[in-house]
Amino acid sequence: MKQWEVVIGIETHVQLSTQSKIFSGSSTAFGAEPNVQANAVDLALPGVLPVLNKGAVECAIRFGLAVEGQVAPKSVFARKNYFYPDLPKGYQISQYELPVVVGGKVAIQLGQGDDLSEKTINLTRAHLEEDAGKSLHEDFHGKSGIDLNRAGTPLLEIVTEPDMRSSAEAVAYAKALHALVRWIGICDGNMQEGSFRCDANVSVRPVGQKEFGTRREIKNLNSFRFMQQAIDYEVQWQIAHIEDGGRVEQATVLFDPDTGETRAMRSKEDAHDYRYFPDPDLLPLIISRDWIERARSALPELPAAKKQRFVTDFGLSAYDATTLTASLEVADFYEATVVVAGKAAAKPCANWVMVDLAARLNKEGMELAHSPVSAVQLGGLVARIADNTISNNIAKKIFDALWNGEGKSADEIIDKQGLKQITDSGAIEALIDEVLAANAAMVAEFRAGKEKAFNALVGQAMKATKGKANPQQVNELLRRKLA
Amino acid sequence: MSLTLEQVRRVAQLARIDISDAEAESTLGHLNGIFSLIEEMQAVDTRGVEPMAHAQDLAQRLRVDEVTEVNRRDAYQAVAPETEAGLYLVPKVIE
């Protein structure tokens, strides 16, 4: 049996979060009534001229800097010519020979726990372009309906080198890119609304062969799960097809989530010939060094740098640091808890954010942005565990109380409900004496060698302190008394 | 360099222009005239000259990112051949 190697490159259309379109002052808000956000430029009425949106360019610069690509000092818009009713001009304004970003790289995480490894995916380029409108093929008396609200929405098309070798790597890349564009605030990342759409170029070749196989392009993957399924199916199909003596023909294919299969779109008699040429309506885009430097200083700390800092400054494991830098919201929330709880409590803060809070949010189906417990409140809670005011068990109760809005801060709830941990050993001893007196049978069992009875006594003692004693301290005192 | 009749037909097809055989012949003549002009220009030594993307050596003016347009759908659709439910209707297209 021949061994096959999978080769994948990905093109992603990232919808930029600008207020207005790339070449007109129409709104880009999602979900409006058809065509209410399509003006003369978007409709390509005669005589109109495009004027480039500075905000879209700013997004492209931010991206170029974030992936350490080269932001082109001069880039050029070109016309990509094709006919389709949702493209009223008969061409899409894009960039061809001189894109706004050249090169760059995205680090991806593979595996889990101890098998965690990193790989770099190189980018070829990223270019600015406009989106097309939407065609609706439901029956309008045998016609198609056209909604041009989306026409002219700014997109950044990000193209990788053929660097990925499995569907898992492709998904890891898509996830990393998705997190990054949200992190730097250039895209809302809403995949249901089409803000982040991937095309995967997939080919296979025998292991050891230098030349790439013929690729097929899977279009419009709008979920990570579908991407994985589509690539897995496509790879199996290509291998089976070649092993059966067939040849892969270059084609565009669509993934059908219902059947889990990819199938080739009816190939056109004419291959695409887009006849790109520089758009005479637009002058070259010049980006000054100064603008690039201003954009650089406005960027937030990037995920890789933040992750490294969490490891070195806070002593977190690589895994924890990766989890906490999955999105800017999580990272900011976490850092805000550490600011309140203190750097020494950075690790427990990480646990509370990743475990307790995450579990609760997950259970309630809520996003971190809407967490009823704020970072400051959570930090205040962790601070009281760290300084031994409360035990971990009590902390969980206070967390619930904060969640339910029973107090503004952990301190307030501790005061109000009298939850301060009893550390005075005299007071605990007195309670233990009562417990021992009241549970003579258990004491006898313990003395007869039943270790289980000891645990029961600890339980009784903790109950007597209403959980406010430090369990370890109770344990020690009880052992001493029974010795 | 000169074009062939086949190339003229292909360009016309890509541009969705329906041309008769006679029109293709005369278009071929016109285009070849233009090509000979281009050939003359290409004879000029342009080594060391950076190609321009535009006839004017200026930079693209940028617009501040703000919504400046209001909904004028009714006016635009008043001149459209056919509309329904806010959509422009066109002959059915399914790829």
Side-chain angles (χ1 to χ4, degrees), chain A residues 418-440:
Chain A
L419 297 172
K420 199 168 182 321
Q421 183 159 274
I422 308 165
T423 46
D424 171 11
S425 56
I428 299 175
E429 274 185 68
L431 284 168
I432 288 178
D433 287 338
E434 284 173 33
V435 168
L436 292 179
N439 295 281

Side-chain angles (χ1 to χ4, degrees), chain B residues 16-54:
Chain B
R16 301 296 188 275
I17 298 170
D18 193 11
I19 54 170
S20 65
D21 288 348
E23 282 170 318
E25 292 280 0
S26 77
T27 307
L28 177 64
H30 290 306
L31 287 176
N32 277 338
I34 294 169
F35 267 91
S36 65
L37 267 177
I38 291 172
E39 252 164 49
E40 257 178 69
M41 289 193 281
Q42 278 186 330
V44 179
D45 185 358
T46 55
R47 273 175 297 181
V49 180
E50 200 193 330
M52 294 173 77
H54 199 275

